Amino acid sequence: PLLTPEKFADRIGPRSKVGTEIQRRVYERFSSYTIRGALTRSTSFLHFGSLTDFSRSCLELQNKSLQPFYAQENEELEPVCTPELILYNSEGFNVPAGRRRTLLVESSRRCTISQALGENTFVGLSDFSTDIVVPQGTCIDERRIEKKTVRLVYASNDVFRPQKDPSKVIFCGRPIPEWLKVHGLDLTDLWEPGSPYDLLTAKLFVENAQPGFLAGYWQPPFDPEWAETFKNARRYSIAELNRLDDAVSREGRRVAIRTRLLQQRLSEGIGWRLLSLDDFRHIAAEKALQRLLADLSRKTDDPLLSAYRTTLLENVEKSGDNVPPMVTFDADYVGEQISREPLSVAVKEDQIVWARSSVRLDLGGGWSDTPPYTLMLGGQVTNVAVDLNGQPPIQVFCRRTAEKHIRFHSIDLGVTETVTEFQALSDYRNPHTPFGLPKGALSLLGFTPARCGTKSLSEYLQSIGGGIEITLLCAVPKGSGLGTSSILGGTILAALERFFGVPASKSNLFRQVLQMELMLTTCGGWQDQIGGIEGGVKYLESKPGLRPDPVVHQLDPWLFEHPESKSCFTLYYTGVTRLAKNILQDVVSQVNTRSPSYFFTLNHIRDLSLMARRAIALRNTASLAGVIGLSWEANKRIHPGTTNREVENLLEKTRGLYKGMKLLGAGGGGYALFLSEGPGQADQLREKLHSLENPRARIVDFSLNKVGLQVTVS
């Protein structure tokens, strides 16, 4: 049960110094948020809060093979990480070997530090060399203000919090009164009278300080000349430097160093695999490298890597941010899967081919099955095949006709189209045509003038045994998020292949749907067709490569069959439809350009599929609900179109009645899957959803389908 305001006040009131009004506002702001917990086999806590902890934690990251945020395996530039030195994004930085303690160096260039005693941090240094002993735990941090350089010095145990007593302020390892006395200074040299004693506001750092002067911060005894220079110099506080030299400016200097390092790598003839478009634009700005990059791209013999490199080169040559589509399949991608032998009708005059399939509920991993991501890194998805209202919702009927034409019917759309010429089959490229899928399937089977050897469709139909009537029943609204289009495409292909007696395995059928979607310019992934055509609860995974060949692992169906567990699930049609194509194109564009944030989120989504698999194996409803909730949050990070005001209003009105929820497709509408903590909470949710129904929205009964695609002949 949720913590009530009264219980919250009882728990917090005696311990809190804030008034009841602030307590009430805190409760109102945070009480709606759920708290999730996860059991792990082993954990590591890395603390980065202090300078002392920072270098140790960075080293532990490397020792435990933990990936830094947004990092990818086999990146072009990887940090140097040894027990003695952690060197990141730096060039020409020299330190002597043989030390026992770690130095942390970031974004520095052309520097030599001969005597650093360890656990030191050097940030942003440029053209800095010294043989002066740098004490243990000392940090030197360089900032830039226009053409001036200001170098900050502080120690790992310094205190950066305001203090009433100046003796509590620690600077360079000493109480500030002691440090001032040693240097012949007093408090008014650092702070205005009456100001709080805060190290961040102390005017401590001078312009263009050289190594000898910097040593004066930590080296006693009193030096009158040092003190005189200090007093007369224009001095800055850390707070002032943070305003004048902001994070964006510092990031620009980091990018400049990274660009030079990458340019050096490429100038040595080493190829590139993981560069983002932003990095590549900086590199290719150097004219001398452009010809070399083009030569490296032309010599690339791996088709997928070649397509990626070509995409980046083309984008650099063009203006704007429109990334050309990356080539994902060759023209003969499914050439060997569809028979090139002349077709002929393989059913009797009065027989009907009946193909039917379930739909799929994506539990975790969706997006990792989509090219080009899945081609580069492989994909992992956990989904379940379900019937709706007791029936497979995707059904296709094919029969022979005496008339030499092709007729399409759609029962759910209530439309019919009769085709008498080949040209009418070629408009499958329009995603809004009601019969794009069957037209694309027929074209893939060879219904084109070039393949048929004739210009007349009626003549060709005469030669193969008669006309064709194809009837479609899709008992799911368009844009539902249940993989409807891909599953319907696979079901149409399966029905036609049986109609013509063309042998086809399920694995070939999966890839044929990929090719057909490429023809229709919708370019989806492989999880939808496998999710509906292959029955059961499934964990699907594919290796990297141009031709995905996913492996299907059947999972324990208990959570979707046991009455108490199954009653915790609620499938709700929101009544909001959307076309996933635009969202898909945006995501593909980000993957093509190797956007680090997209790869980070997609890798996380892929990992969620494994978490869903474990939850299902353990029959743990709560864990699966957590995965579903995390999948929804990750999908929203992938694209803003994943959610909208209508969806968010629905979730706000039902909050607290479910433990995990996600829209089941690319987002923006369609079906939502809710998983509640128990049957009682699920009943309350369904009662609430009933009260929110509009003329389209509704709760839909679903049941596990273990069979998947079925094709029979009457």
Side-chain angles (χ1 to χ4, degrees), residues 227-259:
E228 189 66 23
T229 302
F230 180 88
K231 288 182 178 181
N232 294 329
R234 164 68 166 97
R235 284 176 282 118
Y236 299 85
S237 67
I238 296 176
E240 186 178 8
L241 289 168
N242 285 344
R243 291 193 300 270
L244 296 174
D245 182 39
D246 58 33
V248 175
S249 300
R250 293 196 293 276
E251 178 64 16
R253 294 195 290 274
R254 293 187 182 100
V255 169
I257 293 174
R258 176 175 173 82
T259 298

PDB file of all heavy atoms in Angstrom, residues 227-259:
ATOM      1  N   ALA A 227      54.376  36.241  -2.231  1.00  0.00           N
ATOM      2  CA  ALA A 227      53.217  36.910  -1.647  1.00  0.00           C
ATOM      3  C   ALA A 227      52.925  38.233  -2.336  1.00  0.00           C
ATOM      4  O   ALA A 227      51.757  38.585  -2.568  1.00  0.00           O
ATOM      5  CB  ALA A 227      53.451  37.133  -0.149  1.00  0.00           C
ATOM      6  N   GLU A 228      53.966  38.987  -2.708  1.00  0.00           N
ATOM      7  CA  GLU A 228      53.765  40.261  -3.383  1.00  0.00           C
ATOM      8  C   GLU A 228      53.140  40.055  -4.754  1.00  0.00           C
ATOM      9  O   GLU A 228      52.222  40.787  -5.154  1.00  0.00           O
ATOM     10  CB  GLU A 228      55.112  40.986  -3.496  1.00  0.00           C
ATOM     11  CG  GLU A 228      55.009  42.413  -3.981  1.00  0.00           C
ATOM     12  CD  GLU A 228      54.292  43.320  -2.981  1.00  0.00           C
ATOM     13  OE1 GLU A 228      54.257  42.980  -1.771  1.00  0.00           O
ATOM     14  OE2 GLU A 228      53.747  44.363  -3.410  1.00  0.00           O
ATOM     15  N   THR A 229      53.647  39.057  -5.493  1.00  0.00           N
ATOM     16  CA  THR A 229      53.069  38.742  -6.810  1.00  0.00           C
ATOM     17  C   THR A 229      51.604  38.336  -6.672  1.00  0.00           C
ATOM     18  O   THR A 229      50.743  38.747  -7.455  1.00  0.00           O
ATOM     19  CB  THR A 229      53.871  37.617  -7.487  1.00  0.00           C
ATOM     20  OG1 THR A 229      55.228  38.030  -7.608  1.00  0.00           O
ATOM     21  CG2 THR A 229      53.299  37.291  -8.855  1.00  0.00           C
ATOM     22  N   PHE A 230      51.320  37.537  -5.671  1.00  0.00           N
ATOM     23  CA  PHE A 230      49.958  37.062  -5.435  1.00  0.00           C
ATOM     24  C   PHE A 230      49.016  38.241  -5.168  1.00  0.00           C
ATOM     25  O   PHE A 230      47.924  38.344  -5.743  1.00  0.00           O
ATOM     26  CB  PHE A 230      49.964  36.097  -4.246  1.00  0.00           C
ATOM     27  CG  PHE A 230      48.619  35.530  -3.905  1.00  0.00           C
ATOM     28  CD1 PHE A 230      48.162  34.369  -4.508  1.00  0.00           C
ATOM     29  CD2 PHE A 230      47.792  36.147  -2.974  1.00  0.00           C
ATOM     30  CE1 PHE A 230      46.922  33.840  -4.187  1.00  0.00           C
ATOM     31  CE2 PHE A 230      46.553  35.631  -2.644  1.00  0.00           C
ATOM     32  CZ  PHE A 230      46.122  34.473  -3.258  1.00  0.00           C
ATOM     33  N   LYS A 231      49.444  39.168  -4.300  1.00  0.00           N
ATOM     34  CA  LYS A 231      48.577  40.286  -3.928  1.00  0.00           C
ATOM     35  C   LYS A 231      48.298  41.222  -5.098  1.00  0.00           C
ATOM     36  O   LYS A 231      47.191  41.753  -5.237  1.00  0.00           O
ATOM     37  CB  LYS A 231      49.210  41.073  -2.783  1.00  0.00           C
ATOM     38  CG  LYS A 231      49.177  40.366  -1.443  1.00  0.00           C
ATOM     39  CD  LYS A 231      49.790  41.259  -0.373  1.00  0.00           C
ATOM     40  CE  LYS A 231      49.728  40.601   0.995  1.00  0.00           C
ATOM     41  NZ  LYS A 231      50.292  41.480   2.045  1.00  0.00           N
ATOM     42  N   ASN A 232      49.299  41.428  -5.951  1.00  0.00           N
ATOM     43  CA  ASN A 232      49.165  42.408  -7.029  1.00  0.00           C
ATOM     44  C   ASN A 232      48.523  41.835  -8.293  1.00  0.00           C
ATOM     45  O   ASN A 232      48.181  42.593  -9.212  1.00  0.00           O
ATOM     46  CB  ASN A 232      50.546  42.983  -7.382  1.00  0.00           C
ATOM     47  CG  ASN A 232      51.136  43.792  -6.239  1.00  0.00           C
ATOM     48  OD1 ASN A 232      50.404  44.398  -5.461  1.00  0.00           O
ATOM     49  ND2 ASN A 232      52.461  43.803  -6.124  1.00  0.00           N
ATOM     50  N   ALA A 233      48.393  40.537  -8.367  1.00  0.00           N
ATOM     51  CA  ALA A 233      47.862  39.901  -9.586  1.00  0.00           C
ATOM     52  C   ALA A 233      46.337  39.974  -9.627  1.00  0.00           C
ATOM     53  O   ALA A 233      45.664  40.094  -8.596  1.00  0.00           O
ATOM     54  CB  ALA A 233      48.311  38.445  -9.654  1.00  0.00           C
ATOM     55  N   ARG A 234      45.821  39.907 -10.849  1.00  0.00           N
ATOM     56  CA  ARG A 234      44.368  39.750 -11.030  1.00  0.00           C
ATOM     57  C   ARG A 234      44.057  38.315 -10.644  1.00  0.00           C
ATOM     58  O   ARG A 234      44.549  37.370 -11.237  1.00  0.00           O
ATOM     59  CB  ARG A 234      43.997  40.021 -12.493  1.00  0.00           C
ATOM     60  CG  ARG A 234      42.604  39.533 -12.914  1.00  0.00           C
ATOM     61  CD  ARG A 234      41.489  40.321 -12.235  1.00  0.00           C
ATOM     62  NE  ARG A 234      40.207  40.076 -12.875  1.00  0.00           N
ATOM     63  CZ  ARG A 234      39.307  39.192 -12.434  1.00  0.00           C
ATOM     64  NH1 ARG A 234      39.543  38.476 -11.338  1.00  0.00           N
ATOM     65  NH2 ARG A 234      38.158  39.047 -13.074  1.00  0.00           N
ATOM     66  N   ARG A 235      43.246  38.158  -9.595  1.00  0.00           N
ATOM     67  CA  ARG A 235      42.980  36.823  -9.087  1.00  0.00           C
ATOM     68  C   ARG A 235      41.506  36.434  -9.285  1.00  0.00           C
ATOM     69  O   ARG A 235      40.627  37.285  -9.290  1.00  0.00           O
ATOM     70  CB  ARG A 235      43.359  36.739  -7.603  1.00  0.00           C
ATOM     71  CG  ARG A 235      44.861  36.656  -7.395  1.00  0.00           C
ATOM     72  CD  ARG A 235      45.237  36.660  -5.925  1.00  0.00           C
ATOM     73  NE  ARG A 235      45.171  38.008  -5.354  1.00  0.00           N
ATOM     74  CZ  ARG A 235      44.354  38.368  -4.376  1.00  0.00           C
ATOM     75  NH1 ARG A 235      43.498  37.499  -3.881  1.00  0.00           N
ATOM     76  NH2 ARG A 235      44.357  39.597  -3.906  1.00  0.00           N
ATOM     77  N   TYR A 236      41.292  35.121  -9.438  1.00  0.00           N
ATOM     78  CA  TYR A 236      39.966  34.583  -9.697  1.00  0.00           C
ATOM     79  C   TYR A 236      39.619  33.547  -8.629  1.00  0.00           C
ATOM     80  O   TYR A 236      40.488  32.829  -8.105  1.00  0.00           O
ATOM     81  CB  TYR A 236      39.902  33.894 -11.061  1.00  0.00           C
ATOM     82  CG  TYR A 236      40.196  34.788 -12.234  1.00  0.00           C
ATOM     83  CD1 TYR A 236      41.512  35.025 -12.641  1.00  0.00           C
ATOM     84  CD2 TYR A 236      39.170  35.382 -12.950  1.00  0.00           C
ATOM     85  CE1 TYR A 236      41.791  35.835 -13.736  1.00  0.00           C
ATOM     86  CE2 TYR A 236      39.435  36.192 -14.049  1.00  0.00           C
ATOM     87  CZ  TYR A 236      40.749  36.419 -14.428  1.00  0.00           C
ATOM     88  OH  TYR A 236      41.013  37.227 -15.510  1.00  0.00           O
ATOM     89  N   SER A 237      38.340  33.426  -8.370  1.00  0.00           N
ATOM     90  CA  SER A 237      37.841  32.308  -7.549  1.00  0.00           C
ATOM     91  C   SER A 237      37.382  31.187  -8.474  1.00  0.00           C
ATOM     92  O   SER A 237      37.184  31.384  -9.682  1.00  0.00           O
ATOM     93  CB  SER A 237      36.668  32.769  -6.682  1.00  0.00           C
ATOM     94  OG  SER A 237      35.548  33.096  -7.503  1.00  0.00           O
ATOM     95  N   ILE A 238      37.208  30.014  -7.892  1.00  0.00           N
ATOM     96  CA  ILE A 238      36.710  28.883  -8.689  1.00  0.00           C
ATOM     97  C   ILE A 238      35.313  29.187  -9.214  1.00  0.00           C
ATOM     98  O   ILE A 238      34.979  28.887 -10.371  1.00  0.00           O
ATOM     99  CB  ILE A 238      36.707  27.591  -7.844  1.00  0.00           C
ATOM    100  CG1 ILE A 238      38.131  27.208  -7.449  1.00  0.00           C
ATOM    101  CG2 ILE A 238      36.040  26.446  -8.611  1.00  0.00           C
ATOM    102  CD1 ILE A 238      38.213  25.996  -6.541  1.00  0.00           C
ATOM    103  N   ALA A 239      34.485  29.811  -8.394  1.00  0.00           N
ATOM    104  CA  ALA A 239      33.120  30.144  -8.827  1.00  0.00           C
ATOM    105  C   ALA A 239      33.145  31.087 -10.020  1.00  0.00           C
ATOM    106  O   ALA A 239      32.374  30.922 -10.984  1.00  0.00           O
ATOM    107  CB  ALA A 239      32.345  30.769  -7.673  1.00  0.00           C
ATOM    108  N   GLU A 240      34.039  32.083  -9.999  1.00  0.00           N
ATOM    109  CA  GLU A 240      34.129  33.026 -11.113  1.00  0.00           C
ATOM    110  C   GLU A 240      34.634  32.327 -12.372  1.00  0.00           C
ATOM    111  O   GLU A 240      34.122  32.557 -13.480  1.00  0.00           O
ATOM    112  CB  GLU A 240      35.057  34.179 -10.738  1.00  0.00           C
ATOM    113  CG  GLU A 240      35.113  35.287 -11.786  1.00  0.00           C
ATOM    114  CD  GLU A 240      36.008  36.441 -11.375  1.00  0.00           C
ATOM    115  OE1 GLU A 240      36.704  36.319 -10.344  1.00  0.00           O
ATOM    116  OE2 GLU A 240      36.010  37.464 -12.089  1.00  0.00           O
ATOM    117  N   LEU A 241      35.624  31.450 -12.216  1.00  0.00           N
ATOM    118  CA  LEU A 241      36.154  30.720 -13.371  1.00  0.00           C
ATOM    119  C   LEU A 241      35.098  29.790 -13.967  1.00  0.00           C
ATOM    120  O   LEU A 241      35.047  29.604 -15.186  1.00  0.00           O
ATOM    121  CB  LEU A 241      37.396  29.927 -12.964  1.00  0.00           C
ATOM    122  CG  LEU A 241      38.635  30.777 -12.661  1.00  0.00           C
ATOM    123  CD1 LEU A 241      39.710  29.928 -11.998  1.00  0.00           C
ATOM    124  CD2 LEU A 241      39.172  31.414 -13.932  1.00  0.00           C
ATOM    125  N   ASN A 242      34.273  29.220 -13.123  1.00  0.00           N
ATOM    126  CA  ASN A 242      33.201  28.358 -13.626  1.00  0.00           C
ATOM    127  C   ASN A 242      32.212  29.135 -14.489  1.00  0.00           C
ATOM    128  O   ASN A 242      31.620  28.584 -15.419  1.00  0.00           O
ATOM    129  CB  ASN A 242      32.466  27.696 -12.466  1.00  0.00           C
ATOM    130  CG  ASN A 242      33.269  26.574 -11.833  1.00  0.00           C
ATOM    131  OD1 ASN A 242      34.238  26.088 -12.419  1.00  0.00           O
ATOM    132  ND2 ASN A 242      32.882  26.173 -10.632  1.00  0.00           N
ATOM    133  N   ARG A 243      32.037  30.416 -14.162  1.00  0.00           N
ATOM    134  CA  ARG A 243      31.139  31.243 -14.974  1.00  0.00           C
ATOM    135  C   ARG A 243      31.809  31.674 -16.282  1.00  0.00           C
ATOM    136  O   ARG A 243      31.187  31.663 -17.342  1.00  0.00           O
ATOM    137  CB  ARG A 243      30.705  32.478 -14.185  1.00  0.00           C
ATOM    138  CG  ARG A 243      29.779  32.190 -13.020  1.00  0.00           C
ATOM    139  CD  ARG A 243      29.150  33.477 -12.498  1.00  0.00           C
ATOM    140  NE  ARG A 243      30.153  34.430 -12.036  1.00  0.00           N
ATOM    141  CZ  ARG A 243      30.615  34.494 -10.787  1.00  0.00           C
ATOM    142  NH1 ARG A 243      30.160  33.630  -9.881  1.00  0.00           N
ATOM    143  NH2 ARG A 243      31.504  35.399 -10.443  1.00  0.00           N
ATOM    144  N   LEU A 244      33.084  32.042 -16.187  1.00  0.00           N
ATOM    145  CA  LEU A 244      33.775  32.589 -17.360  1.00  0.00           C
ATOM    146  C   LEU A 244      34.229  31.504 -18.334  1.00  0.00           C
ATOM    147  O   LEU A 244      34.245  31.708 -19.542  1.00  0.00           O
ATOM    148  CB  LEU A 244      34.984  33.419 -16.909  1.00  0.00           C
ATOM    149  CG  LEU A 244      34.666  34.663 -16.075  1.00  0.00           C
ATOM    150  CD1 LEU A 244      35.948  35.304 -15.573  1.00  0.00           C
ATOM    151  CD2 LEU A 244      33.864  35.662 -16.904  1.00  0.00           C
ATOM    152  N   ASP A 245      34.635  30.373 -17.808  1.00  0.00           N
ATOM    153  CA  ASP A 245      35.092  29.255 -18.646  1.00  0.00           C
ATOM    154  C   ASP A 245      34.118  28.103 -18.443  1.00  0.00           C
ATOM    155  O   ASP A 245      34.356  27.200 -17.656  1.00  0.00           O
ATOM    156  CB  ASP A 245      36.513  28.842 -18.260  1.00  0.00           C
ATOM    157  CG  ASP A 245      37.047  27.718 -19.138  1.00  0.00           C
ATOM    158  OD1 ASP A 245      36.779  27.736 -20.348  1.00  0.00           O
ATOM    159  OD2 ASP A 245      37.725  26.820 -18.606  1.00  0.00           O
ATOM    160  N   ASP A 246      33.010  28.158 -19.166  1.00  0.00           N
ATOM    161  CA  ASP A 246      31.934  27.217 -18.891  1.00  0.00           C
ATOM    162  C   ASP A 246      32.233  25.830 -19.458  1.00  0.00           C
ATOM    163  O   ASP A 246      33.208  25.607 -20.161  1.00  0.00           O
ATOM    164  CB  ASP A 246      30.601  27.744 -19.416  1.00  0.00           C
ATOM    165  CG  ASP A 246      30.640  28.015 -20.914  1.00  0.00           C
ATOM    166  OD1 ASP A 246      31.354  27.291 -21.638  1.00  0.00           O
ATOM    167  OD2 ASP A 246      29.969  28.959 -21.356  1.00  0.00           O
ATOM    168  N   ALA A 247      31.351  24.892 -19.129  1.00  0.00           N
ATOM    169  CA  ALA A 247      31.542  23.499 -19.534  1.00  0.00           C
ATOM    170  C   ALA A 247      31.541  23.336 -21.049  1.00  0.00           C
ATOM    171  O   ALA A 247      32.237  22.478 -21.587  1.00  0.00           O
ATOM    172  CB  ALA A 247      30.448  22.628 -18.911  1.00  0.00           C
ATOM    173  N   VAL A 248      30.767  24.168 -21.758  1.00  0.00           N
ATOM    174  CA  VAL A 248      30.724  24.078 -23.219  1.00  0.00           C
ATOM    175  C   VAL A 248      32.080  24.430 -23.819  1.00  0.00           C
ATOM    176  O   VAL A 248      32.570  23.766 -24.743  1.00  0.00           O
ATOM    177  CB  VAL A 248      29.627  25.001 -23.779  1.00  0.00           C
ATOM    178  CG1 VAL A 248      29.669  25.006 -25.305  1.00  0.00           C
ATOM    179  CG2 VAL A 248      28.260  24.559 -23.287  1.00  0.00           C
ATOM    180  N   SER A 249      32.726  25.464 -23.270  1.00  0.00           N
ATOM    181  CA  SER A 249      34.051  25.844 -23.766  1.00  0.00           C
ATOM    182  C   SER A 249      35.071  24.748 -23.492  1.00  0.00           C
ATOM    183  O   SER A 249      35.902  24.423 -24.351  1.00  0.00           O
ATOM    184  CB  SER A 249      34.496  27.149 -23.107  1.00  0.00           C
ATOM    185  OG  SER A 249      33.594  28.188 -23.382  1.00  0.00           O
ATOM    186  N   ARG A 250      35.020  24.165 -22.313  1.00  0.00           N
ATOM    187  CA  ARG A 250      35.966  23.092 -21.984  1.00  0.00           C
ATOM    188  C   ARG A 250      35.726  21.880 -22.864  1.00  0.00           C
ATOM    189  O   ARG A 250      36.669  21.212 -23.295  1.00  0.00           O
ATOM    190  CB  ARG A 250      35.845  22.726 -20.499  1.00  0.00           C
ATOM    191  CG  ARG A 250      36.293  23.838 -19.565  1.00  0.00           C
ATOM    192  CD  ARG A 250      36.543  23.327 -18.155  1.00  0.00           C
ATOM    193  NE  ARG A 250      35.335  22.891 -17.489  1.00  0.00           N
ATOM    194  CZ  ARG A 250      34.499  23.705 -16.850  1.00  0.00           C
ATOM    195  NH1 ARG A 250      34.736  25.016 -16.823  1.00  0.00           N
ATOM    196  NH2 ARG A 250      33.435  23.232 -16.244  1.00  0.00           N
ATOM    197  N   GLU A 251      34.449  21.606 -23.149  1.00  0.00           N
ATOM    198  CA  GLU A 251      34.151  20.481 -24.033  1.00  0.00           C
ATOM    199  C   GLU A 251      34.701  20.729 -25.432  1.00  0.00           C
ATOM    200  O   GLU A 251      35.187  19.808 -26.094  1.00  0.00           O
ATOM    201  CB  GLU A 251      32.638  20.246 -24.091  1.00  0.00           C
ATOM    202  CG  GLU A 251      32.203  19.133 -25.031  1.00  0.00           C
ATOM    203  CD  GLU A 251      32.723  17.766 -24.608  1.00  0.00           C
ATOM    204  OE1 GLU A 251      33.164  17.600 -23.452  1.00  0.00           O
ATOM    205  OE2 GLU A 251      32.697  16.861 -25.450  1.00  0.00           O
ATOM    206  N   GLY A 252      34.656  21.979 -25.900  1.00  0.00           N
ATOM    207  CA  GLY A 252      35.229  22.308 -27.200  1.00  0.00           C
ATOM    208  C   GLY A 252      36.715  22.000 -27.258  1.00  0.00           C
ATOM    209  O   GLY A 252      37.218  21.499 -28.280  1.00  0.00           O
ATOM    210  N   ARG A 253      37.440  22.266 -26.177  1.00  0.00           N
ATOM    211  CA  ARG A 253      38.870  21.945 -26.157  1.00  0.00           C
ATOM    212  C   ARG A 253      39.094  20.440 -26.121  1.00  0.00           C
ATOM    213  O   ARG A 253      40.038  19.927 -26.728  1.00  0.00           O
ATOM    214  CB  ARG A 253      39.524  22.630 -24.956  1.00  0.00           C
ATOM    215  CG  ARG A 253      39.522  24.163 -25.053  1.00  0.00           C
ATOM    216  CD  ARG A 253      40.474  24.797 -24.061  1.00  0.00           C
ATOM    217  NE  ARG A 253      40.029  24.674 -22.680  1.00  0.00           N
ATOM    218  CZ  ARG A 253      39.199  25.517 -22.082  1.00  0.00           C
ATOM    219  NH1 ARG A 253      38.681  26.539 -22.762  1.00  0.00           N
ATOM    220  NH2 ARG A 253      38.875  25.357 -20.813  1.00  0.00           N
ATOM    221  N   ARG A 254      38.238  19.726 -25.416  1.00  0.00           N
ATOM    222  CA  ARG A 254      38.353  18.262 -25.404  1.00  0.00           C
ATOM    223  C   ARG A 254      38.133  17.697 -26.804  1.00  0.00           C
ATOM    224  O   ARG A 254      38.847  16.792 -27.252  1.00  0.00           O
ATOM    225  CB  ARG A 254      37.336  17.658 -24.433  1.00  0.00           C
ATOM    226  CG  ARG A 254      37.588  17.972 -22.973  1.00  0.00           C
ATOM    227  CD  ARG A 254      36.637  17.183 -22.088  1.00  0.00           C
ATOM    228  NE  ARG A 254      36.822  17.493 -20.679  1.00  0.00           N
ATOM    229  CZ  ARG A 254      36.046  18.316 -19.976  1.00  0.00           C
ATOM    230  NH1 ARG A 254      35.016  18.911 -20.579  1.00  0.00           N
ATOM    231  NH2 ARG A 254      36.277  18.550 -18.705  1.00  0.00           N
ATOM    232  N   VAL A 255      37.129  18.230 -27.496  1.00  0.00           N
ATOM    233  CA  VAL A 255      36.834  17.753 -28.851  1.00  0.00           C
ATOM    234  C   VAL A 255      38.001  18.024 -29.786  1.00  0.00           C
ATOM    235  O   VAL A 255      38.341  17.194 -30.644  1.00  0.00           O
ATOM    236  CB  VAL A 255      35.546  18.418 -29.378  1.00  0.00           C
ATOM    237  CG1 VAL A 255      35.360  18.148 -30.868  1.00  0.00           C
ATOM    238  CG2 VAL A 255      34.332  17.922 -28.599  1.00  0.00           C
ATOM    239  N   ALA A 256      38.651  19.174 -29.632  1.00  0.00           N
ATOM    240  CA  ALA A 256      39.792  19.508 -30.486  1.00  0.00           C
ATOM    241  C   ALA A 256      40.923  18.502 -30.305  1.00  0.00           C
ATOM    242  O   ALA A 256      41.548  18.067 -31.281  1.00  0.00           O
ATOM    243  CB  ALA A 256      40.277  20.921 -30.177  1.00  0.00           C
ATOM    244  N   ILE A 257      41.191  18.106 -29.061  1.00  0.00           N
ATOM    245  CA  ILE A 257      42.234  17.097 -28.813  1.00  0.00           C
ATOM    246  C   ILE A 257      41.815  15.757 -29.402  1.00  0.00           C
ATOM    247  O   ILE A 257      42.612  15.077 -30.070  1.00  0.00           O
ATOM    248  CB  ILE A 257      42.499  16.964 -27.302  1.00  0.00           C
ATOM    249  CG1 ILE A 257      43.120  18.252 -26.759  1.00  0.00           C
ATOM    250  CG2 ILE A 257      43.416  15.780 -27.015  1.00  0.00           C
ATOM    251  CD1 ILE A 257      43.284  18.259 -25.248  1.00  0.00           C
ATOM    252  N   ARG A 258      40.574  15.367 -29.168  1.00  0.00           N
ATOM    253  CA  ARG A 258      40.084  14.083 -29.695  1.00  0.00           C
ATOM    254  C   ARG A 258      40.173  14.066 -31.215  1.00  0.00           C
ATOM    255  O   ARG A 258      40.564  13.055 -31.819  1.00  0.00           O
ATOM    256  CB  ARG A 258      38.643  13.874 -29.240  1.00  0.00           C
ATOM    257  CG  ARG A 258      37.989  12.616 -29.795  1.00  0.00           C
ATOM    258  CD  ARG A 258      36.599  12.433 -29.196  1.00  0.00           C
ATOM    259  NE  ARG A 258      35.897  11.336 -29.827  1.00  0.00           N
ATOM    260  CZ  ARG A 258      36.057  10.055 -29.512  1.00  0.00           C
ATOM    261  NH1 ARG A 258      36.920   9.721 -28.577  1.00  0.00           N
ATOM    262  NH2 ARG A 258      35.368   9.112 -30.122  1.00  0.00           N
ATOM    263  N   THR A 259      39.841  15.181 -31.844  1.00  0.00           N
ATOM    264  CA  THR A 259      39.904  15.253 -33.306  1.00  0.00           C
ATOM    265  C   THR A 259      41.331  15.036 -33.799  1.00  0.00           C
ATOM    266  O   THR A 259      41.559  14.292 -34.758  1.00  0.00           O
ATOM    267  CB  THR A 259      39.371  16.615 -33.788  1.00  0.00           C
ATOM    268  OG1 THR A 259      38.001  16.745 -33.398  1.00  0.00           O
ATOM    269  CG2 THR A 259      39.470  16.728 -35.305  1.00  0.00           C
TER     270      THR A 259
END
